[in-house]
Amino acid sequence: MNGSRNLLKMMNPTIKPVGDNLFYIYPLPAFPSANLFGKITAVLSPLLGGIAGVFGESGDKKIMDIGVEEAIPHITEAFSSLSGDRLEELLRSLLLSGNVYVGRAGTTELEMLTEDASNEVFCQNMQDMFILAYHVINVNYKGFFDMFGDLSGKVSEIWKKMTSPDTEDSTQDSLET
């Protein structure tokens, strides 16, 4: 019976609107999720380290409270180690693993997000691909970052600031304008 509960978790999608589409994000199975987490941390560790510099020692700022001029040097340095190949590999792993479905605007059918569907959905809207990747990471790893905070504090606090409901609403509002 316990195994059935885990399968049920995997069968319940989180639905997120991104751009003009609805995306249905299913949790990844445990071992593929662990493999993907290694790729994510390899890409995000320099970025989180760079963003940590923005928050300073006090850690009392929220992500939306940081001025662009203050954040740019840290973010630029963090992205300097990121290659296009690594980013593409990560995005493919996050979005094309058979766990994301898209309901395109004007249709009632869902289709698995494939490379062809991605090309159509994200053409001239590449920012939506990154927003969706963020949602996939949040669905699959939010609990890890929450737990990690009990052990390490600063990285988890940054993650919480980036994913808090008031920040998410502000981010969504700024994306819609």
Side-chain angles (χ1 to χ4, degrees):
M1 181 70 179
N2 199 12
S4 298
R5 274 192 227 158
N6 290 338
L7 288 177
L8 291 176
K9 271 185 173 180
M10 290 179 54
M11 297 177 75
N12 292 314
T14 299
I15 303 169
K16 293 289 183 179
V18 178
D20 294 332
N21 304 295
L22 281 178
F23 290 90
Y24 294 72
I25 305 166
Y26 290 85
L28 291 163
F31 292 106
S33 179
N35 181 291
L36 181 55
F37 188 73
K39 292 177 186 178
I40 291 169
T41 56
V43 171
L44 291 185
S45 292
L47 179 60
L48 288 175
I51 291 174
V54 174
F55 287 101
E57 294 303 315
S58 65
D60 59 350
K61 292 182 183 178
K62 288 197 172 242
I63 191 81
M64 298 308 284
D65 295 335
I66 297 167
V68 173
E69 61 282 344
E70 186 180 1
I72 290 294
H74 298 284
I75 294 171
T76 301
E77 183 179 332
F79 275 114
S80 68
S81 66
L82 185 61
S83 74
D85 291 339
R86 284 181 73 187
L87 184 58
E88 180 182 349
E89 178 187 354
L90 178 61
L91 287 170
R92 284 177 179 278
S93 296
L94 283 166
L95 305 180
L96 304 181
S97 295
N99 63 312
V100 179
Y101 288 75
V102 60
R104 295 191 204 192
T107 67
T108 58
E109 294 183 28
L110 294 180
E111 69 178 296
M112 184 185 301
L113 193 62
T114 61
E115 186 169 350
D116 288 339
S118 295
N119 288 337
E120 185 62 31
V121 169
F122 300 121
C123 181
Q124 297 181 319
N125 295 306
M126 190 174 72
Q127 73 281 354
D128 290 351
M129 186 168 42
F130 290 101
I131 294 167
L132 179 59
Y134 163 81
H135 288 307
V136 172
I137 291 170
N138 207 27
V139 164
N140 286 284
Y141 304 106
K142 184 178 184 324
F144 177 83
F145 287 106
D146 289 345
M147 181 194 72
F148 185 68
D150 294 339
L151 302 174
S152 73
K154 194 163 191 168
V155 171
S156 178
E157 288 304 313
I158 292 168
W159 181 256
K160 286 179 184 177
K161 287 178 185 181
M162 291 173 64
T163 61
S164 70
D166 59 332
T167 302
E168 189 171 306
D169 291 344
S170 299
T171 304
Q172 187 64 30
D173 291 343
S174 68
L175 293 172
E176 291 174 355
T177 57

